Amino acid sequence: MNHHFKYLLRLADNSLINAQCLCKWTGHGPFLEEDLALTNIALDILGRSKLLLEHAALIEGNGKSDDDLAFHRSEREFLNTKLVEQPTPDYAYTIIKQVIIDSFDLNLYKELSKSKDDVLAGIAAKSIKEITYHYRHTSSWVNRFGLGTEESNQRAQNALNELWRFTGELCETDETDEWAIKNGIGCSVENFKASWQTQLKNLFNESNLTIPENTFMQTGGKNGIHTEHLGYILAEMQTLPKAHVGATW
Amino acid sequence: MSDSQGPMWEVFVQKKAGQPFVHCGNLHAFDKEMALQNARDLYTRRMEGVALWVVKSEHIVASSPEDQGSFFEPANDKIFRHPTFYQVPDIIKHM
Amino acid sequence: MSTINFEEIFETKLAKNEMIEPKDWMPDNYRKHLIRQISQHAHSEIVGMLPEGNWITRAPSLRSKIVLLAKVQDEGGHGLYLYTAAESLGISRDEMLDALHTSKAKYSSIFNYPTLTWADVAAIGWLVDGAAIMNQVMLQRTSYGPYSRAMIRICKEESFHQRQGYEAMTRLAFGTPAQKSMAQDALNRFWFPTLMMFGPPDKESPNSDNAVKWRIKRETNDELRQRFVNQTVPQIEYLGLNLPDANIKWNEAKNGYDFSEPNWVEFKNVINGNGPCNKERLNARVNAHKNGEWVRAAAAAYAKKLDDQTLAA
């Protein structure tokens, strides 16, 4: 697989699967205002995934569309990190998962806005503004959960304990990343890894939450080795296009 | 009115820089930051504004319908407050 | 000043087409009628998120997923505008939600029908939103100020909803044979429930009289229903689908289509909780509220801490 295509696909899949999980809350949020706010976040991320998939399809150059990539690839062909596919049994999981993603992506897309791939740089520049707001929203909820009630603190801490083992993968670098860094398409996570971790640590600390120590980090998503959750996410997401091959919607 | 949904807030949107803030509706929120964010997510989804004010509804002081006569009708005969009350020679344009 | 004077002022305002505002004197029944109608309307928007929301994760293209997500979100926003309009009449959102969750409050019967296929989502956008818009356009001129202003905003935002539904329906109707039959099936199932949305026939509608007198409503159920049929039949014909009712026929004399009455026994049953999805819809709302309880409690506790800090500072 072409490195450029693979690099874009990983970004796109992270956004797509993240958004797919977020949109389950629409109509079921903890109260109306927050339902709408989280849906706004889902919409931004879904929009970004479409732009990234369109661009990835173009770079792949074999006539496929964004929808082909979204709806006609199988479990092993999706290259998102394991973090984004994790289920969110309560709202604390959603907020903790999202604040980790937002804080990481904010750093990542700032770097990507300098990409030599003009289209990617453009998508990144647009995304920075969106993610800045997402982080503001999710981090304010971390404060509320951490400092709100005993129950909310406990739930947030549980989610953090469960999800932290999926954060190591965000910072992994393989030959595709190295190719992208060397060619000015992608960026090195090393540029911001330390400041990102400090930012999160400070946020959790000020909210009476603790990042678990000595966590054994999970890996594999970036290369298509997923948790079992992804299969169900795709089965749901892809049901119609797979049942009606050749149809347009 | 405070309930399990948090207190009610009034939302004002400025459409463009330099224009006045106009009341556009209400929402519920538990704290100031949330009120501001909710206002953004609810009332500016379609590029309706460039700035927002939010204020708890309980802080709004309103005139009552009974005040209408004594508050506003006295302004009716103060036509000298309007430019058309004054005569300016035709030759002077743009005043 | 005696009550009679207030009533006169109220009547004069109505006669002059002026708006009634929250602090104005209004008859108790007017207030009650509005609270009932606006909160029902709000509940309908919120419950209405569910049947379409059912397909967000399964939308068959990225574009349709984005559009559907935005549309369902809009409905939530509209529910919110309406709840706050009702709150201006002196009822809290908690009270309204409680009435919904305990089945004391009603909502539009249409949302108790299931969305079985993707075409149902298209049919809802096209038919159900089409019917709703007709009602809502009229309500922009309703006599209660906050309700009218909410409706103006809602109508502006909803203008894309029906077009979105019809566009999706067009793709199905002109798509593969399987897609076309999906479209026909959705039209057949949603036609009569959509006609029921305008409410019972005028001769049996208990609330219509006062509503028209108070200028809360400006057209009757039957008038709106007829207009909807007149508008929709040519749209069905364009799609090349079969009419869902064998009795639809142009009637030159009334300059409109004749059509069959919906099954009003079914309507009453659906309204009273016996529709195909009443239990599911209500459970979904009750669960969301219950599952959100600790979230709201956390936000309230945190807000209190912030207030205490401000006071202490």
Side-chain angles (χ1 to χ4, degrees), chain A residues 74-224:
Chain A
S74 61
E75 290 85 342
R76 293 279 283 104
E77 296 168 286
F78 267 75
L79 303 179
N80 55 280
T81 58
K82 284 179 170 175
L83 176 64
V84 297
E85 71 202 32
Q86 293 313 302
T88 50
D90 70 15
Y91 211 65
Y93 271 83
T94 296
I95 291 297
I96 297 293
K97 176 176 160 183
Q98 200 59 40
V99 86
I100 294 170
I101 294 170
D102 292 342
S103 57
F104 184 84
D105 280 353
L106 190 53
N107 286 289
L108 174 68
Y109 280 92
K110 274 183 186 160
E111 294 283 326
L112 291 177
S113 67
K114 296 177 262 176
S115 171
K116 282 186 184 153
D117 175 339
D118 290 343
V119 178
L120 176 58
I123 296 170
K126 177 178 180 289
S127 302
I128 294 167
K129 291 178 197 154
E130 295 170 350
I131 304 167
T132 301
Y133 183 77
H134 302 168
Y135 179 73
R136 179 167 173 169
H137 188 79
T138 48
S139 62
S140 65
W141 273 108
V142 171
N143 290 151
R144 289 184 195 104
F145 286 169
L147 303 171
T149 63
E150 209 172 303
E151 180 182 7
S152 67
N153 178 283
Q154 197 54 55
R155 283 177 185 265
Q157 187 62 55
N158 284 347
L160 185 54
N161 294 346
E162 285 300 310
L163 292 171
W164 191 251
R165 65 199 160 110
F166 298 105
T167 57
E169 196 187 0
L170 304 181
C171 297
E172 284 173 9
T173 300
D174 68 0
E175 70 219 34
T176 294
D177 296 300
E178 275 159 15
W179 176 90
I181 295 164
K182 205 174 77 196
N183 290 280
I185 304 289
C187 67
S188 171
V189 177
E190 293 305 322
N191 294 351
F192 60 80
K193 184 178 170 184
S195 65
W196 167 61
Q197 287 178 340
T198 311
Q199 183 190 7
L200 269 187
K201 205 176 157 198
N202 291 343
L203 172 69
F204 289 131
N205 280 350
E206 77 184 21
S207 309
N208 274 346
L209 297 168
T210 319
I211 293 175
E213 279 172 37
N214 304 321
T215 307
F216 182 81
M217 289 295 173
Q218 296 296 311
T219 180
K222 281 178 79 165
N223 290 307

Side-chain angles (χ1 to χ4, degrees), chain A residues 230-243:
Chain A
L230 184 71
Y232 292 94
I233 295 171
L234 296 186
E236 186 177 26
M237 184 174 86
Q238 299 177 333
T239 172
L240 273 172
K242 282 193 168 162

Side-chain angles (χ1 to χ4, degrees), chain A residues 20 27 30 33 40 147 236, chain C residues 65 73 93 285 296 305:
Chain A
Q20 176 74 7
E33 281 82 354
N40 262 352
L147 303 171
E236 186 177 26
Chain C
K65 193 190 286 287
Q73 185 202 32
R93 194 191 289 179
R285 287 315 313 156
R296 299 190 302 271
K305 276 184 193 167

Side-chain angles (χ1 to χ4, degrees), chain B residues 12-91:
Chain B
F12 300 81
V13 174
Q14 186 185 36
K15 207 171 165 188
K16 281 184 194 147
Q19 291 190 357
F21 284 73
V22 177
H23 185 254
C24 69
N26 302 78
L27 50 79
H28 286 259
F30 291 87
D31 56 59
K32 293 177 195 172
E33 172 67 15
M34 191 192 290
L36 201 56
Q37 290 183 17
N38 289 349
R40 180 261 191 195
D41 284 316
L42 185 64
Y43 288 107
T44 64
R45 297 203 302 280
R46 288 174 166 82
M47 301 177 290
E48 290 96 332
V50 295
L52 282 166
W53 285 349
V54 290
V55 58
K56 263 190 199 172
S57 303
E58 66 188 40
H59 296 313
I60 294 279
V61 184
S63 66
S64 18
E66 292 83 353
D67 297 334
Q68 199 176 336
S70 61
F71 266 47
F72 307 113
E73 277 167 27
N76 287 351
D77 62 357
K78 309 285 192 298
I79 47 172
F80 47 82
R81 287 206 168 105
H82 298 274
T84 45
F85 181 72
Y86 303 93
Q87 285 184 354
V88 174
D90 285 350
I91 199 157

